[in-house]
Amino acid sequence: MWKKEDKFKEGFMIILGKIWRGSNKGHYYIGIDIDKEFGIKEFCSRNGKTITLQEFSNKTVVEQHRDDLTKAHIYFISPIPFPLKNSDKILGIEVKRYLVPAPNIHANGFRYEVIGNKKEPVILNQKQALELIRHIDSICRKNGQKYLDLTKNKLSSHLF
C-alpha cells in the first residue's frame, strides 16, 4: 500500500519490534511517539521529579523536528515487547509499530533530528522495561486514558 502510494519517494521508515540479527538479536526495538507537550512532560516526570526532554536525550535516542518542539520520538531496546498504544487527544503518547526517523523530513517540511548526545538507544533490562511499561500505564490512567488491559495482557503477571 505505502509503496503504491509513493510514500517513500523522499524518505524511509523503520519497522519496530523484534530484532532479528546483530548484537541485540532477540530483543525488541521500541519506539514511542509523543505528539503533545503535556505528554512529553508526563513521560519525563517520575517519582515527583521532572527532567527536560533534552536531559532525557542524554539517556537514549530522542528525535524532534525544529518547527514543533512539542513532539518527539523516543527509542529503546527491550528484552520484552511493549504493548502498542494508539494516540489520544490528551497525552499524544503512542507506542508504535513503525516510525519515520531522522534524517527524514516531517510533513511540515522540517527534518527530524537527533537531539542530545546519544546515537544508540539505551538497552533496558527486564526490570527497567517493565517499569517503563508501568510508567506509561500510570500516566494514561492518571489522565483517563487506557494503555494496559491487565485482565487480557500477557504481561500482567510481570507487572504487579
Side-chain angles (χ1 to χ4, degrees), residues 79-90:
I80 59 173
F82 278 39
L84 299 176
K85 181 188 178 301
N86 293 326
S87 187
D88 60 76
K89 293 181 180 183
I90 296 170

Side-chain angles (χ1 to χ4, degrees), residues 41-127:
K41 183 178 178 188
E42 288 286 288
F43 190 84
C44 292
S45 297
R46 224 162 154 186
N47 302 323
K49 182 181 178 194
T50 301
I51 62 172
T52 66
L53 190 61
Q54 186 68 44
E55 290 171 305
F56 198 88
S57 72
N58 293 325
K59 299 175 187 228
T60 195
V61 174
V62 177
E63 300 173 334
Q64 290 188 293
H65 44 96
R66 291 179 194 241
D67 66 310
D68 190 348
L69 300 179
T70 65
K71 300 179 180 207
H73 295 163
I74 304 171
Y75 298 96
F76 304 94
I77 293 178
S78 169
I80 59 173
F82 278 39
L84 299 176
K85 181 188 178 301
N86 293 326
S87 187
D88 60 76
K89 293 181 180 183
I90 296 170
L91 299 164
I93 296 175
E94 296 176 80
V95 180
K96 305 280 280 192
R97 287 188 195 274
Y98 62 88
L99 279 170
V100 175
N104 282 288
I105 296 174
H106 184 267
N108 294 349
F110 283 77
R111 192 172 299 281
Y112 288 101
E113 299 175 1
V114 173
I115 67 169
N117 61 7
K118 288 295 185 179
K119 303 300 179 206
E120 297 287 330
V122 68
I123 301 171
L124 304 173
N125 62 36
Q126 183 160 338
K127 180 181 180 208

Side-chain angles (χ1 to χ4, degrees), residues 10 13-14 16-19 38 40 49 63 89 96 100 102-105 113 119 135 142 144 149-150 152 154 158:
E10 297 179 24
M13 76 167 53
I14 53 172
L16 303 161
K18 194 165 193 175
I19 300 169
F38 180 64
I40 292 172
K49 182 181 178 194
E63 300 173 334
K89 293 181 180 183
K96 305 280 280 192
V100 175
N104 282 288
I105 296 174
E113 299 175 1
K119 303 300 179 206
H135 179 58
K142 180 173 113 177
D149 180 349
L150 297 178
K152 295 179 182 177
K154 293 178 186 176
H158 300 286

